[in-house]
Amino acid sequence: MKKVKTRDRILDTSLALFNSTGEPNVTTLLISDELDISPGNLYYHFKSKGDIVEELFARFEEEMLDLLAVPADADISLDQQGFFLHLLFETVARYRFLYQDLVNVLTRYSQLQVRFRRILKKKTRAFQSICESFRRQGMMLIGADELDSLCEQLTLTACYWSSFDTLSHLNDREAVDPGRGVYQMMHLVIPYLEPGEQEQARLMSRDYL
């Protein structure tokens, strides 16, 4: 069995602690205790908690940008949209500490602000590509202004769903349910779909509850 490098163990353990406890409540001492390593060993790999947060953000950023690279000219099906939303919310759930306290995290680590805004823009662009594909295929009836508003609402929901979801179980941050987020996102789109597609989307959305 391949031995996990100490650096990767630190990152994985930090991510788990940030997600379950909240990033502001986690110290480097807590991380080293959880790993059963000395603070000096942790410091050898990361000079501060901020360095850990930044590297975890880089992981998140790579996964998210890869997912959001939706081709503008692709013919996208409802199944593909559902799978895309599923992967999106799974990624958000993996790095939910970023989203559960988003404004404060970005305030404390201001070097991440521009990078996160870039991700937000790419989320909106990905939703636009999906909706434009639906409209081009005759699956969706929507005007330009409504489309822009819908895509902004989808971005907003994707961004803040994790915080909303956590409010229902503040004592158990591990109890995340990405499927409910997918369900809500699909129901934002359904009113603009043609009748046949609406029924299919409703049936698909129930699978995420």
Side-chain angles (χ1 to χ4, degrees):
M1 182 179 294
K2 186 178 179 181
K3 186 177 180 180
V4 180
K5 295 179 180 178
T6 300
R7 184 182 182 85
D8 291 331
R9 287 178 60 222
I10 292 170
L11 288 169
D12 292 342
T13 299
S14 298
L15 179 59
L17 287 171
F18 291 164
N19 283 340
S20 63
T21 309
E23 178 270 332
N25 303 314
V26 178
T27 63
T28 52
L29 183 59
L30 179 60
I31 296 168
S32 58
D33 284 348
E34 185 75 14
L35 285 162
D36 197 22
I37 63 176
S38 69
N41 193 352
L42 188 148
Y43 184 76
Y44 173 79
H45 295 280
F46 297 98
K47 302 302 182 189
S48 67
K49 187 176 77 167
D51 290 342
I52 296 174
V53 170
E54 187 156 3
E55 184 130 350
L56 287 172
F57 186 90
R59 283 185 174 185
F60 158 77
E61 183 178 42
E62 182 179 7
E63 290 183 37
M64 192 62 79
L65 292 179
D66 183 59
L67 174 62
L68 296 176
V70 178
D73 58 349
D75 285 344
I76 297 167
S77 66
L78 286 175
D79 283 337
Q80 288 171 323
Q81 181 218 18
F83 187 57
F84 169 80
L85 292 175
H86 174 77
L87 292 177
L88 177 65
F89 276 93
E90 286 286 349
T91 304
V92 169
R94 262 197 308 282
Y95 298 93
R96 59 190 175 275
F97 80 93
L98 291 168
Y99 287 87
Q100 288 171 346
D101 193 25
L102 181 59
V103 173
N104 287 330
V105 168
L106 293 180
T107 299
R108 284 195 301 278
Y109 305 105
S110 58
Q111 72 275 19
L112 303 179
Q113 292 177 16
V114 171
R115 293 162 67 182
F116 194 86
R117 282 198 296 267
R118 180 173 66 151
I119 290 171
L120 281 183
K121 288 180 181 177
K122 287 188 177 290
K123 278 183 187 175
T124 304
R125 198 171 301 139
F127 294 135
Q128 286 172 336
S129 294
I130 291 170
C131 291
E132 287 284 7
S133 176
F134 286 169
R135 187 164 68 168
R136 192 170 59 246
Q137 296 175 79
M139 298 163 57
M140 175 181 273
L141 184 63
I142 188 170
D145 289 344
E146 288 177 305
L147 189 146
D148 288 343
S149 178
L150 172 61
C151 291
E152 189 169 347
Q153 183 62 52
L154 290 168
T155 303
L156 177 66
T157 304
C159 189
Y160 286 103
W161 175 260
S162 184
S163 292
F164 177 79
D165 189 36
T166 302
L167 287 173
S168 63
H169 43 75
L170 285 173
N171 294 326
D172 183 11
R173 289 185 180 228
E174 295 297 303
V176 295
D177 185 4
R180 288 181 62 225
V182 176
Y183 178 89
Q184 294 297 330
M185 294 279 277
M186 293 186 77
H187 276 260
L188 288 174
V189 173
I190 283 173
Y192 299 99
L193 295 175
E194 292 295 330
E197 278 73 26
Q198 283 188 11
E199 185 56 31
Q200 182 185 347
R202 286 193 187 94
L203 290 172
M204 286 172 52
S205 70
R206 291 170 195 158
D207 292 336
Y208 289 96
L209 292 179

